[in-house]
Amino acid sequence: MNGLFPERASNKVNIPDDTDTFPLFPVQKSLLKILENPNHWNLSYLLFKKPGWRKEPLAEVLRELSLYHEAFSFRFFKKNTAFFQRRIAHPFTSCLFEEINVMKATDTAAAIDTEMINAQGKIHIFSGPVLVLQLYKAKTGDFLYLVTNHLLFDGISFKIIVGDIFRGYNQCEQRKEICFHKKTGSYPDALTQIYEFSQSRVCMNEIAYWENILDSVHIANPAVRPLKRTQRIERNMADIKTVILSPEECHESRQILRTHEVGAFACYLTIMGRTLCAFYNIPGIIIHLVNHGRNWEIGPLTITRTLGPFWLTFPVYISPGASGYPLDEITETQHLLECIPHSGRGYEIVKEIVLENTEFNKKADSLPYNILFNFIGFINEFTNFTGDDECTVSTYMKDYNRHPDAACPYSLIINLRRISKTLHLQIIYNMLEYSRAEINHLSLDFKKQLKYLMRILNSTEQRKAYDLK
Protein backbone atom coordinates (compact mmCIF):
# COMPACT_ATOMS: atom_id res chain seq x y z
CA MET A 1 0.00 0.00 0.00
CA ASN A 2 1.33 3.41 -0.92
CA GLY A 3 -0.25 6.36 0.91
CA LEU A 4 0.54 9.55 -0.99
CA PHE A 5 -1.60 11.70 1.30
CA PRO A 6 -1.09 11.42 5.07
CA GLU A 7 -3.98 9.88 6.97
CA ARG A 8 -4.95 11.34 10.33
CA ALA A 9 -3.56 9.04 12.98
CA SER A 10 -6.18 10.09 15.50
CA ASN A 11 -9.91 10.76 15.41
CA LYS A 12 -9.49 13.65 17.82
CA VAL A 13 -11.09 16.77 16.41
CA ASN A 14 -8.51 19.42 15.61
CA ILE A 15 -9.94 22.95 15.53
CA PRO A 16 -7.25 25.48 14.55
CA ASP A 17 -7.49 29.03 15.84
CA ASP A 18 -7.41 30.58 12.35
CA THR A 19 -10.77 29.27 11.14
CA ASP A 20 -14.31 30.56 10.66
CA THR A 21 -17.39 29.01 12.25
CA PHE A 22 -20.62 28.43 10.31
CA PRO A 23 -24.01 26.84 11.05
CA LEU A 24 -25.06 23.62 9.35
CA PHE A 25 -27.17 23.15 6.25
CA PRO A 26 -30.74 22.12 7.15
CA VAL A 27 -30.36 18.54 5.93
CA GLN A 28 -27.16 18.18 7.98
CA LYS A 29 -28.93 19.34 11.14
CA SER A 30 -31.81 16.97 10.50
CA LEU A 31 -29.69 13.87 9.91
CA LEU A 32 -27.14 14.46 12.65
CA LYS A 33 -29.98 14.07 15.13
CA ILE A 34 -30.60 10.55 13.81
CA LEU A 35 -27.19 9.16 12.91
CA GLU A 36 -25.26 7.76 15.84
CA ASN A 37 -22.09 7.51 13.76
CA PRO A 38 -22.33 10.12 10.98
CA ASN A 39 -18.88 9.33 9.57
CA HIS A 40 -20.09 6.39 7.54
CA TRP A 41 -23.16 7.46 5.62
CA ASN A 42 -21.27 7.33 2.38
CA LEU A 43 -21.49 7.70 -1.38
CA SER A 44 -19.19 5.53 -3.44
CA TYR A 45 -18.32 4.35 -6.96
CA LEU A 46 -16.00 1.65 -8.21
CA LEU A 47 -14.69 2.16 -11.74
CA PHE A 48 -12.77 -0.20 -14.00
CA LYS A 49 -10.30 0.56 -16.78
CA LYS A 50 -8.28 -2.12 -18.53
CA PRO A 51 -5.37 0.10 -19.64
CA GLY A 52 -5.12 1.36 -16.06
CA TRP A 53 -4.34 4.67 -14.34
CA ARG A 54 -1.07 6.17 -13.12
CA LYS A 55 -0.86 7.03 -9.43
CA GLU A 56 1.22 10.23 -9.71
CA PRO A 57 -1.32 12.22 -11.80
CA LEU A 58 -4.17 10.97 -9.60
CA ALA A 59 -2.39 12.14 -6.44
CA GLU A 60 -1.59 15.53 -7.98
CA VAL A 61 -5.18 16.04 -9.18
CA LEU A 62 -6.61 15.10 -5.82
CA ARG A 63 -4.36 17.61 -4.05
CA GLU A 64 -5.39 20.39 -6.44
CA LEU A 65 -9.05 19.42 -6.08
CA SER A 66 -8.92 19.76 -2.29
CA LEU A 67 -7.68 23.34 -2.72
CA TYR A 68 -10.04 24.26 -5.56
CA HIS A 69 -13.44 23.46 -4.01
CA GLU A 70 -14.26 25.28 -0.77
CA ALA A 71 -16.37 22.44 0.59
CA PHE A 72 -13.20 20.42 1.24
CA SER A 73 -12.11 23.09 3.72
CA PHE A 74 -15.01 22.46 6.12
CA ARG A 75 -15.07 20.17 9.15
CA PHE A 76 -17.82 19.45 11.64
CA PHE A 77 -17.36 19.99 15.35
CA LYS A 78 -19.61 19.70 18.37
CA LYS A 79 -19.98 22.31 21.08
CA ASN A 80 -22.07 21.13 24.03
CA THR A 81 -24.99 19.44 22.24
CA ALA A 82 -24.91 21.46 19.01
CA PHE A 83 -23.01 20.77 15.79
CA PHE A 84 -21.28 23.45 13.71
CA GLN A 85 -18.88 23.58 10.77
CA ARG A 86 -15.54 25.25 10.77
CA ARG A 87 -13.29 26.23 7.89
CA ILE A 88 -9.74 24.99 8.28
CA ALA A 89 -6.78 26.94 6.94
CA HIS A 90 -5.03 24.04 5.18
CA PRO A 91 -7.35 21.40 3.67
CA PHE A 92 -4.55 19.01 2.64
CA THR A 93 -5.96 16.29 4.89
CA SER A 94 -9.33 16.42 3.12
CA CYS A 95 -8.41 13.80 0.53
CA LEU A 96 -6.57 10.51 0.91
CA PHE A 97 -5.08 8.62 -2.03
CA GLU A 98 -3.77 5.04 -1.81
CA GLU A 99 -2.51 2.51 -4.33
CA ILE A 100 -3.20 -1.13 -3.44
CA ASN A 101 -1.89 -4.17 -5.31
CA VAL A 102 -4.37 -7.08 -5.51
CA MET A 103 -2.65 -8.99 -8.33
CA LYS A 104 -1.68 -11.85 -6.04
CA ALA A 105 -5.16 -12.21 -4.58
CA THR A 106 -6.82 -15.58 -5.18
CA ASP A 107 -10.23 -13.92 -5.31
CA THR A 108 -9.91 -10.42 -6.79
CA ALA A 109 -13.51 -9.47 -6.08
CA ALA A 110 -13.23 -10.47 -2.41
CA ALA A 111 -9.93 -8.62 -2.00
CA ILE A 112 -11.35 -5.44 -3.53
CA ASP A 113 -14.49 -5.80 -1.43
CA THR A 114 -12.40 -5.89 1.75
CA GLU A 115 -10.42 -2.82 0.71
CA MET A 116 -13.61 -0.90 -0.12
CA ILE A 117 -14.96 -1.58 3.37
CA ASN A 118 -11.67 -0.38 4.85
CA ALA A 119 -11.81 2.77 2.70
CA GLN A 120 -15.30 3.55 3.98
CA GLY A 121 -13.97 3.32 7.53
CA LYS A 122 -11.38 6.01 6.86
CA ILE A 123 -13.92 8.76 6.16
CA HIS A 124 -14.12 11.19 9.09
CA ILE A 125 -16.24 14.34 8.86
CA PHE A 126 -14.66 15.87 11.97
CA SER A 127 -10.95 15.45 11.25
CA GLY A 128 -10.72 14.21 7.66
CA PRO A 129 -10.24 12.70 5.18
CA VAL A 130 -13.66 13.40 3.67
CA LEU A 131 -12.80 11.87 0.28
CA VAL A 132 -10.87 8.62 -0.18
CA LEU A 133 -9.55 7.52 -3.57
CA GLN A 134 -8.06 4.05 -3.85
CA LEU A 135 -6.39 2.57 -6.93
CA TYR A 136 -6.51 -1.25 -7.03
CA LYS A 137 -3.97 -2.84 -9.36
CA ALA A 138 -5.45 -6.15 -10.57
CA LYS A 139 -4.49 -8.70 -13.22
CA THR A 140 -7.38 -7.75 -15.48
CA GLY A 141 -6.86 -3.99 -15.19
CA ASP A 142 -7.20 -1.17 -12.68
CA PHE A 143 -10.10 -0.46 -10.35
CA LEU A 144 -10.59 3.06 -9.02
CA TYR A 145 -12.71 3.43 -5.88
CA LEU A 146 -14.06 6.79 -4.71
CA VAL A 147 -15.92 7.23 -1.44
CA THR A 148 -17.12 10.33 0.38
CA ASN A 149 -19.74 11.29 2.98
CA HIS A 150 -23.34 12.12 2.05
CA LEU A 151 -23.59 14.72 4.84
CA LEU A 152 -20.97 16.79 3.04
CA PHE A 153 -21.76 16.14 -0.62
CA ASP A 154 -24.94 15.32 -2.50
CA GLY A 155 -25.05 13.07 -5.55
CA ILE A 156 -24.58 15.95 -8.00
CA SER A 157 -21.53 17.13 -6.05
CA PHE A 158 -20.05 13.64 -6.28
CA LYS A 159 -20.63 13.68 -10.03
CA ILE A 160 -18.79 17.03 -10.22
CA ILE A 161 -15.91 15.62 -8.16
CA VAL A 162 -15.52 12.57 -10.41
CA GLY A 163 -15.72 14.73 -13.54
CA ASP A 164 -13.06 17.11 -12.22
CA ILE A 165 -10.75 14.24 -11.27
CA PHE A 166 -10.89 12.81 -14.78
CA ARG A 167 -10.53 16.21 -16.41
CA GLY A 168 -7.46 16.97 -14.31
CA TYR A 169 -6.01 13.51 -14.88
CA ASN A 170 -6.29 13.83 -18.67
CA GLN A 171 -4.64 17.27 -18.50
CA CYS A 172 -1.75 15.81 -16.49
CA GLU A 173 -1.33 13.01 -19.01
CA GLN A 174 -1.15 15.61 -21.78
CA ARG A 175 1.38 17.65 -19.72
CA LYS A 176 -1.07 20.54 -19.44
CA GLU A 177 -1.79 22.72 -16.46
CA ILE A 178 -4.64 21.40 -14.30
CA CYS A 179 -7.70 23.54 -14.97
CA PHE A 180 -11.00 22.32 -13.54
CA HIS A 181 -14.42 23.38 -14.80
CA LYS A 182 -15.46 26.83 -13.64
CA LYS A 183 -17.12 26.90 -10.22
CA THR A 184 -20.41 28.61 -9.41
CA GLY A 185 -21.43 30.21 -6.08
CA SER A 186 -19.34 29.49 -3.01
CA TYR A 187 -20.20 27.03 -0.24
CA PRO A 188 -20.44 29.75 2.48
CA ASP A 189 -22.51 32.01 0.23
CA ALA A 190 -24.99 29.19 -0.45
CA LEU A 191 -25.30 28.63 3.30
CA THR A 192 -25.83 32.36 3.89
CA GLN A 193 -28.55 32.48 1.22
CA ILE A 194 -30.48 29.66 2.88
CA TYR A 195 -30.41 31.39 6.26
CA GLU A 196 -31.49 34.67 4.66
CA PHE A 197 -34.41 32.86 3.03
CA SER A 198 -35.37 31.43 6.44
CA GLN A 199 -36.03 35.01 7.64
CA SER A 200 -38.08 36.03 4.61
CA ARG A 201 -41.84 36.49 4.37
CA VAL A 202 -41.97 33.88 1.61
CA CYS A 203 -40.56 31.27 3.98
CA MET A 204 -42.90 32.29 6.80
CA ASN A 205 -45.86 31.82 4.46
CA GLU A 206 -44.92 28.13 4.06
CA ILE A 207 -45.29 27.33 7.76
CA ALA A 208 -49.08 26.89 7.65
CA TYR A 209 -48.81 24.44 4.71
CA TRP A 210 -46.30 22.18 6.47
CA GLU A 211 -48.16 22.37 9.80
CA ASN A 212 -51.29 21.13 8.01
CA ILE A 213 -49.36 18.21 6.46
CA LEU A 214 -47.95 17.11 9.83
CA ASP A 215 -51.27 17.48 11.64
CA SER A 216 -53.20 15.46 9.08
CA VAL A 217 -50.62 12.69 9.14
CA HIS A 218 -50.49 12.37 12.93
CA ILE A 219 -54.27 12.41 13.28
CA ALA A 220 -55.10 9.98 10.47
CA ASN A 221 -52.13 7.66 10.48
CA PRO A 222 -50.50 6.55 13.76
CA ALA A 223 -47.45 4.32 13.40
CA VAL A 224 -48.27 0.70 12.67
CA ARG A 225 -44.66 -0.46 12.73
CA PRO A 226 -42.74 2.12 14.77
CA LEU A 227 -39.02 2.27 14.16
CA LYS A 228 -36.71 0.78 16.75
CA ARG A 229 -35.02 4.09 17.54
CA THR A 230 -32.64 2.45 20.02
CA GLN A 231 -31.08 0.62 17.09
CA ARG A 232 -30.39 3.97 15.42
CA ILE A 233 -31.46 2.50 12.06
CA GLU A 234 -27.94 2.35 10.74
CA ARG A 235 -26.60 -1.21 10.89
CA ASN A 236 -27.36 -4.32 8.89
CA MET A 237 -28.36 -2.59 5.68
CA ALA A 238 -29.04 -4.64 2.56
CA ASP A 239 -30.69 -4.07 -0.79
CA ILE A 240 -32.56 -5.75 -3.61
CA LYS A 241 -32.66 -4.67 -7.25
CA THR A 242 -35.42 -5.48 -9.74
CA VAL A 243 -35.88 -4.61 -13.41
CA ILE A 244 -39.36 -3.12 -13.50
CA LEU A 245 -39.82 -2.27 -17.16
CA SER A 246 -37.93 -3.37 -20.27
CA PRO A 247 -36.81 -0.75 -22.85
CA GLU A 248 -39.92 -1.48 -24.93
CA GLU A 249 -42.21 -1.21 -21.89
CA CYS A 250 -40.50 2.02 -20.82
CA HIS A 251 -41.10 3.55 -24.23
CA GLU A 252 -44.70 2.37 -24.27
CA SER A 253 -45.38 3.68 -20.75
CA ARG A 254 -44.06 7.14 -21.64
CA GLN A 255 -46.36 7.24 -24.64
CA ILE A 256 -49.34 6.16 -22.51
CA LEU A 257 -48.65 8.74 -19.78
CA ARG A 258 -48.16 11.45 -22.39
CA THR A 259 -51.52 10.56 -23.93
CA HIS A 260 -53.24 10.93 -20.55
CA GLU A 261 -51.23 14.10 -19.78
CA VAL A 262 -49.81 12.87 -16.49
CA GLY A 263 -46.19 12.85 -15.38
CA ALA A 264 -44.06 9.76 -14.83
CA PHE A 265 -43.11 10.79 -11.28
CA ALA A 266 -46.76 11.27 -10.26
CA CYS A 267 -47.51 7.85 -11.70
CA TYR A 268 -44.65 6.08 -9.90
CA LEU A 269 -45.36 7.85 -6.60
CA THR A 270 -49.05 6.88 -6.78
CA ILE A 271 -48.22 3.24 -7.43
CA MET A 272 -45.58 3.22 -4.67
CA GLY A 273 -48.14 4.73 -2.29
CA ARG A 274 -50.67 2.03 -3.16
CA THR A 275 -48.01 -0.67 -2.77
CA LEU A 276 -46.80 0.58 0.62
CA CYS A 277 -50.35 0.99 1.95
CA ALA A 278 -51.08 -2.63 1.00
CA PHE A 279 -47.73 -3.69 2.50
CA TYR A 280 -48.50 -2.07 5.88
CA ASN A 281 -52.29 -2.60 5.61
CA ILE A 282 -53.06 1.09 6.22
CA PRO A 283 -55.27 3.66 4.43
CA GLY A 284 -52.49 6.18 3.71
CA ILE A 285 -48.78 6.67 4.20
CA ILE A 286 -46.23 9.43 4.65
CA ILE A 287 -43.33 9.27 2.17
CA HIS A 288 -40.30 11.54 2.09
CA LEU A 289 -39.37 12.85 -1.34
CA VAL A 290 -36.11 14.44 -2.48
CA ASN A 291 -35.51 17.83 -4.03
CA HIS A 292 -31.97 18.02 -5.32
CA GLY A 293 -31.93 21.74 -4.59
CA ARG A 294 -29.82 23.05 -7.46
CA ASN A 295 -32.32 25.43 -9.07
CA TRP A 296 -32.95 27.72 -6.14
CA GLU A 297 -35.64 30.34 -6.47
CA ILE A 298 -34.75 31.96 -3.14
CA GLY A 299 -31.91 34.24 -4.19
CA PRO A 300 -29.55 35.30 -6.98
CA LEU A 301 -26.82 32.76 -6.23
CA THR A 302 -26.15 30.01 -8.79
CA ILE A 303 -24.92 26.69 -7.36
CA THR A 304 -25.14 24.37 -10.38
CA ARG A 305 -21.42 23.53 -10.03
CA THR A 306 -20.94 24.12 -6.31
CA LEU A 307 -20.05 21.24 -3.99
CA GLY A 308 -22.22 20.76 -0.93
CA PRO A 309 -25.25 19.00 0.60
CA PHE A 310 -27.92 20.89 -1.34
CA TRP A 311 -30.49 18.10 -1.49
CA LEU A 312 -33.57 18.51 0.70
CA THR A 313 -36.30 16.11 1.77
CA PHE A 314 -39.96 16.81 2.41
CA PRO A 315 -43.01 14.70 3.35
CA VAL A 316 -46.08 13.96 1.28
CA TYR A 317 -49.14 12.01 2.39
CA ILE A 318 -50.36 9.48 -0.18
CA SER A 319 -53.74 7.82 0.27
CA PRO A 320 -55.18 5.55 -2.46
CA GLY A 321 -58.55 6.78 -3.65
CA ALA A 322 -61.82 4.89 -3.74
CA SER A 323 -62.76 5.66 -7.35
CA GLY A 324 -61.54 2.32 -8.65
CA TYR A 325 -59.70 3.91 -11.58
CA PRO A 326 -55.97 4.64 -10.98
CA LEU A 327 -55.81 7.55 -13.43
CA ASP A 328 -57.86 9.62 -11.00
CA GLU A 329 -55.36 8.87 -8.25
CA ILE A 330 -52.43 9.82 -10.47
CA THR A 331 -54.12 13.10 -11.39
CA GLU A 332 -54.73 13.79 -7.70
CA THR A 333 -51.09 13.03 -6.87
CA GLN A 334 -49.93 15.31 -9.68
CA HIS A 335 -52.10 18.11 -8.30
CA LEU A 336 -50.68 17.47 -4.81
CA LEU A 337 -47.13 17.80 -6.12
CA GLU A 338 -47.93 20.99 -8.01
CA CYS A 339 -49.32 22.59 -4.84
CA ILE A 340 -46.21 21.98 -2.74
CA PRO A 341 -44.56 25.39 -2.14
CA HIS A 342 -41.12 25.77 -3.75
CA SER A 343 -41.21 22.06 -4.70
CA GLY A 344 -40.54 21.14 -1.08
CA ARG A 345 -37.31 23.11 -0.70
CA GLY A 346 -38.61 25.06 2.27
CA TYR A 347 -39.61 22.15 4.53
CA GLU A 348 -36.16 21.42 5.98
CA ILE A 349 -35.51 25.15 6.31
CA VAL A 350 -38.74 25.64 8.28
CA LYS A 351 -38.13 22.53 10.36
CA GLU A 352 -34.45 23.03 11.23
CA ILE A 353 -34.02 26.81 11.21
CA VAL A 354 -37.30 28.73 11.55
CA LEU A 355 -39.05 26.38 14.00
CA GLU A 356 -36.08 24.61 15.54
CA ASN A 357 -36.72 23.37 19.12
CA THR A 358 -40.48 23.87 18.76
CA GLU A 359 -43.44 21.50 18.80
CA PHE A 360 -43.40 21.53 14.98
CA ASN A 361 -39.83 20.25 14.97
CA LYS A 362 -40.63 17.48 17.47
CA LYS A 363 -43.70 16.44 15.50
CA ALA A 364 -41.70 16.34 12.25
CA ASP A 365 -39.02 14.16 13.88
CA SER A 366 -41.65 11.70 15.09
CA LEU A 367 -43.44 11.03 11.79
CA PRO A 368 -44.70 7.44 11.81
CA TYR A 369 -42.74 6.26 8.77
CA ASN A 370 -39.15 6.71 7.75
CA ILE A 371 -39.26 6.03 4.01
CA LEU A 372 -37.40 7.93 1.29
CA PHE A 373 -38.61 7.65 -2.32
CA ASN A 374 -36.31 8.95 -5.03
CA PHE A 375 -36.96 8.91 -8.78
CA ILE A 376 -33.52 9.58 -10.19
CA GLY A 377 -34.64 9.63 -13.82
CA PHE A 378 -32.19 8.92 -16.62
CA ILE A 379 -28.72 7.69 -15.66
CA ASN A 380 -26.51 7.65 -18.71
CA GLU A 381 -23.23 5.85 -19.06
CA PHE A 382 -20.60 6.88 -16.53
CA THR A 383 -18.33 8.02 -19.38
CA ASN A 384 -20.62 11.02 -19.89
CA PHE A 385 -19.06 12.69 -16.88
CA THR A 386 -15.70 10.92 -16.60
CA GLY A 387 -14.88 11.85 -20.20
CA ASP A 388 -13.12 8.48 -20.52
CA ASP A 389 -14.59 6.03 -23.04
CA GLU A 390 -12.51 3.15 -21.62
CA CYS A 391 -13.80 3.67 -18.06
CA THR A 392 -16.88 1.77 -16.87
CA VAL A 393 -18.74 1.21 -13.63
CA SER A 394 -17.46 -2.06 -12.22
CA THR A 395 -19.76 -5.01 -11.65
CA TYR A 396 -18.21 -5.19 -8.17
CA MET A 397 -19.76 -1.82 -7.31
CA LYS A 398 -21.96 -1.72 -4.21
CA ASP A 399 -24.68 0.93 -3.93
CA TYR A 400 -24.79 0.77 -0.15
CA ASN A 401 -22.01 0.60 2.44
CA ARG A 402 -21.22 -2.49 4.45
CA HIS A 403 -18.68 -1.05 6.86
CA PRO A 404 -19.54 -2.29 10.41
CA ASP A 405 -20.57 1.27 11.33
CA ALA A 406 -22.30 2.05 8.02
CA ALA A 407 -25.05 4.57 8.55
CA CYS A 408 -28.43 5.04 6.92
CA PRO A 409 -30.99 7.47 8.34
CA TYR A 410 -33.98 5.70 6.74
CA SER A 411 -35.50 2.29 7.29
CA LEU A 412 -36.37 2.12 3.58
CA ILE A 413 -34.74 3.96 0.69
CA ILE A 414 -36.60 3.33 -2.56
CA ASN A 415 -34.77 4.38 -5.73
CA LEU A 416 -36.25 4.29 -9.21
CA ARG A 417 -33.67 4.65 -11.98
CA ARG A 418 -33.81 4.61 -15.75
CA ILE A 419 -30.60 2.91 -16.84
CA SER A 420 -29.97 2.22 -20.53
CA LYS A 421 -33.69 2.78 -21.30
CA THR A 422 -34.70 0.23 -18.64
CA LEU A 423 -36.53 1.09 -15.40
CA HIS A 424 -34.85 -0.34 -12.31
CA LEU A 425 -36.14 -0.44 -8.74
CA GLN A 426 -33.69 -0.57 -5.85
CA ILE A 427 -34.86 -0.89 -2.24
CA ILE A 428 -32.26 -0.41 0.49
CA TYR A 429 -33.63 -1.69 3.76
CA ASN A 430 -32.69 -2.28 7.38
CA MET A 431 -32.59 -6.01 8.16
CA LEU A 432 -33.47 -5.21 11.78
CA GLU A 433 -36.79 -3.87 10.50
CA TYR A 434 -37.65 -6.03 7.50
CA SER A 435 -36.97 -9.50 6.15
CA ARG A 436 -35.67 -10.05 2.62
CA ALA A 437 -38.87 -11.92 1.81
CA GLU A 438 -40.93 -8.87 2.78
CA ILE A 439 -38.84 -6.55 0.61
CA ASN A 440 -39.01 -8.97 -2.32
CA HIS A 441 -42.79 -9.01 -1.94
CA LEU A 442 -42.87 -5.20 -1.85
CA SER A 443 -40.74 -4.98 -4.99
CA LEU A 444 -42.76 -7.53 -6.95
CA ASP A 445 -46.05 -5.93 -5.90
CA PHE A 446 -44.89 -2.53 -7.19
CA LYS A 447 -43.91 -4.11 -10.50
CA LYS A 448 -47.25 -5.92 -10.74
CA GLN A 449 -49.33 -2.83 -9.95
CA LEU A 450 -47.38 -0.63 -12.38
CA LYS A 451 -47.86 -3.06 -15.26
CA TYR A 452 -51.52 -3.48 -14.36
CA LEU A 453 -51.95 0.30 -14.48
CA MET A 454 -50.35 0.52 -17.90
CA ARG A 455 -52.64 -2.20 -19.26
CA ILE A 456 -55.70 -0.33 -18.00
CA LEU A 457 -54.59 3.02 -19.38
CA ASN A 458 -53.71 1.47 -22.71
CA SER A 459 -56.94 -0.46 -23.09
CA THR A 460 -59.73 1.39 -24.90
CA GLU A 461 -62.27 -1.29 -24.04
CA GLN A 462 -61.48 -1.22 -20.33
CA ARG A 463 -61.57 2.57 -20.32
CA LYS A 464 -64.99 2.54 -22.01
CA ALA A 465 -66.19 -0.03 -19.48
CA TYR A 466 -65.07 2.21 -16.65
CA ASP A 467 -66.72 5.30 -18.18
CA LEU A 468 -70.04 3.45 -18.46
CA LYS A 469 -70.12 2.66 -14.72
Side-chain angles (χ1 to χ4, degrees):
M1 182 181 294
N2 180 18
L4 299 184
F5 286 171
E7 181 186 355
R8 287 283 178 92
S10 171
N11 285 340
K12 184 179 179 181
V13 179
N14 181 22
I15 305 175
D17 293 329
D18 57 343
T19 58
D20 300 322
T21 300
F22 296 84
L24 301 181
F25 281 92
V27 71
Q28 293 173 331
K29 296 180 72 172
S30 177
L31 296 177
L32 279 170
K33 290 186 293 186
I34 300 175
L35 296 173
E36 186 176 89
N37 187 343
N39 290 305
H40 305 305
W41 186 36
N42 299 331
L43 291 166
S44 62
Y45 277 112
L46 180 66
L47 309 177
F48 174 74
K49 185 178 178 182
K50 191 170 184 179
W53 290 277
R54 294 196 306 119
K55 64 181 181 182
E56 290 81 6
L58 285 173
E60 183 180 352
V61 168
L62 209 56
R63 182 180 295 273
E64 292 297 321
L65 192 72
S66 67
L67 297 174
Y68 183 68
H69 289 290
E70 289 174 295
F72 286 114
S73 300
F74 283 79
R75 298 287 185 276
F76 287 10
F77 73 97
K78 192 174 184 180
K79 185 176 181 181
N80 298 324
T81 58
F83 287 95
F84 299 90
Q85 352 182 29
R86 193 165 280 201
R87 180 159 48 189
I88 61 174
H90 305 290
F92 296 111
T93 55
S94 296
C95 303
L96 172 67
F97 175 78
E98 296 176 325
E99 182 188 59
I100 301 170
N101 193 318
V102 294
M103 290 188 181
K104 295 182 179 180
T106 305
D107 187 339
T108 302
I112 290 176
D113 206 48
T114 299
E115 295 298 341
M116 289 194 296
I117 294 173
N118 292 337
Q120 292 167 16
K122 293 177 180 179
I123 296 292
H124 203 281
I125 63 175
F126 297 94
S127 61
V130 296
L131 175 68
V132 174
L133 182 64
Q134 289 189 336
L135 177 61
Y136 309 132
K137 292 288 185 178
K139 295 177 183 178
T140 55
D142 286 0
F143 294 86
L144 193 64
Y145 184 57
L146 304 94
V147 58
T148 189
N149 192 288
H150 210 352
L151 281 169
L152 299 173
F153 304 110
D154 56 22
I156 296 175
S157 295
F158 200 32
K159 180 177 178 179
I160 293 169
I161 289 170
V162 176
D164 280 351
I165 288 174
F166 276 81
R167 178 183 174 91
Y169 180 85
N170 292 333
Q171 290 168 343
C172 283
E173 291 291 83
Q174 298 168 18
R175 299 182 180 275
K176 295 180 180 178
E177 180 183 356
I178 295 176
C179 181
F180 299 121
H181 288 289
K182 188 177 180 180
K183 295 182 292 186
T184 48
S186 73
Y187 184 92
D189 287 347
L191 189 58
T192 299
Q193 183 168 273
I194 287 175
Y195 276 80
E196 287 177 350
F197 175 77
S198 71
Q199 300 171 15
S200 70
R201 182 177 297 179
V202 175
C203 184
M204 297 301 171
N205 289 340
E206 288 194 21
I207 293 175
Y209 176 88
W210 296 117
E211 284 181 332
N212 183 58
I213 292 290
L214 297 187
D215 288 342
S216 62
V217 170
H218 278 278
I219 291 171
N221 199 204
V224 175
R225 288 178 64 166
L227 296 172
K228 302 177 180 66
R229 293 288 179 182
T230 55
Q231 295 169 346
R232 307 302 293 182
I233 47 178
E234 62 183 54
R235 299 178 191 274
N236 298 296
M237 301 304 295
D239 79 334
I240 62 107
K241 299 185 184 73
T242 307
V243 176
I244 299 297
L245 297 176
S246 67
E248 295 77 15
E249 290 171 328
C250 273
H251 176 74
E252 183 182 17
S253 68
R254 287 196 296 272
Q255 297 295 327
I256 294 171
L257 294 174
R258 192 176 293 117
T259 299
H260 291 281
E261 298 182 343
V262 292
F265 181 68
C267 171
Y268 299 146
L269 179 59
T270 301
I271 299 303
M272 184 52 67
R274 289 171 63 94
T275 305
L276 288 169
C277 285
F279 180 70
Y280 290 108
N281 192 26
I282 53 177
I285 190 164
I286 191 78
I287 302 175
H288 284 84
L289 304 182
V290 179
N291 185 306
H292 294 283
R294 291 285 164 165
N295 298 318
W296 284 98
E297 301 168 359
I298 62 176
L301 191 69
T302 301
I303 56 171
T304 52
R305 279 195 51 83
T306 304
L307 301 189
F310 301 118
W311 64 286
L312 297 163
T313 65
F314 59 97
V316 295
Y317 185 69
I318 303 296
S319 179
S323 70
Y325 192 65
L327 181 59
D328 296 338
E329 294 178 29
I330 297 172
T331 303
E332 185 177 336
T333 300
Q334 186 159 293
H335 178 69
L336 181 152
L337 295 173
E338 291 169 352
C339 291
I340 296 173
H342 291 93
S343 302
R345 296 185 184 101
Y347 173 73
E348 295 277 6
I349 296 173
V350 169
K351 173 176 173 281
E352 299 299 338
I353 301 177
V354 181
L355 299 179
E356 185 181 16
N357 300 321
T358 66
E359 192 63 31
F360 177 93
N361 186 280
K362 293 176 183 177
K363 192 178 291 186
D365 285 339
S366 62
L367 285 172
Y369 296 96
N370 202 30
I371 299 168
L372 185 73
F373 180 67
N374 189 18
F375 177 45
I376 302 175
F378 288 102
I379 295 183
N380 297 319
E381 294 300 323
F382 211 88
T383 52
N384 282 352
F385 63 97
T386 64
D388 190 339
D389 293 334
E390 296 177 314
C391 175
T392 60
V393 178
S394 172
T395 54
Y396 299 148
M397 172 184 164
K398 303 296 182 183
D399 291 321
Y400 62 96
N401 296 290
R402 289 160 301 108
H403 184 270
D405 293 322
C408 182
Y410 301 96
S411 61
L412 284 180
I413 297 179
I414 302 169
N415 292 322
L416 269 178
R417 297 184 174 102
R418 285 182 185 158
I419 306 176
S420 299
K421 300 180 181 180
T422 304
L423 186 66
H424 292 240
L425 174 68
Q426 178 196 33
I427 303 179
I428 303 172
Y429 65 99
N430 187 346
M431 291 188 290
L432 298 173
E433 298 289 329
Y434 306 95
S435 70
R436 191 167 188 85
E438 286 180 311
I439 301 304
N440 272 322
H441 174 77
L442 178 64
S443 174
L444 293 174
D445 192 33
F446 175 82
K447 181 177 182 177
K448 177 182 176 181
Q449 291 211 38
L450 180 59
K451 290 193 173 184
Y452 172 71
L453 169 66
M454 291 305 160
R455 285 200 304 272
I456 288 179
L457 297 183
N458 201 33
S459 171
T460 306
E461 294 304 317
Q462 289 192 49
R463 179 67 210 234
K464 286 180 178 178
Y466 171 77
D467 290 337
L468 290 172
K469 289 182 181 179

